[in-house]
Amino acid sequence: MSDQQKVIELIKRLPPDVSIHHIIQEIKFLAAIHEGVDEISRGKEYQLIQLNR
């Protein structure tokens, strides 16, 4: 599924009266999840101390 299709599906699941601000926050959250998954699949690791900074 393309990134565009993922965003379309995300928006379809949101209630019809959702604000643009909330939609943007949901898209940012989705992007962060995908970025993390990509980093894991590339073998990038973080130590817990790095995440707390």
Side-chain angles (χ1 to χ4, degrees), residues 1-15 18-35:
M1 183 182 298
S2 71
D3 288 343
Q4 180 185 28
Q5 190 61 35
K6 289 174 188 172
V7 171
I8 290 169
E9 292 302 316
L10 168 72
I11 293 172
K12 283 181 180 179
R13 290 192 303 266
L14 295 173
V18 67
S19 70
I20 292 175
H21 177 73
H22 187 80
I23 293 169
I24 292 168
Q25 294 299 334
E26 291 287 332
I27 293 170
K28 286 181 178 181
F29 181 71
L30 182 65
I33 291 172
H34 286 283
E35 182 179 337

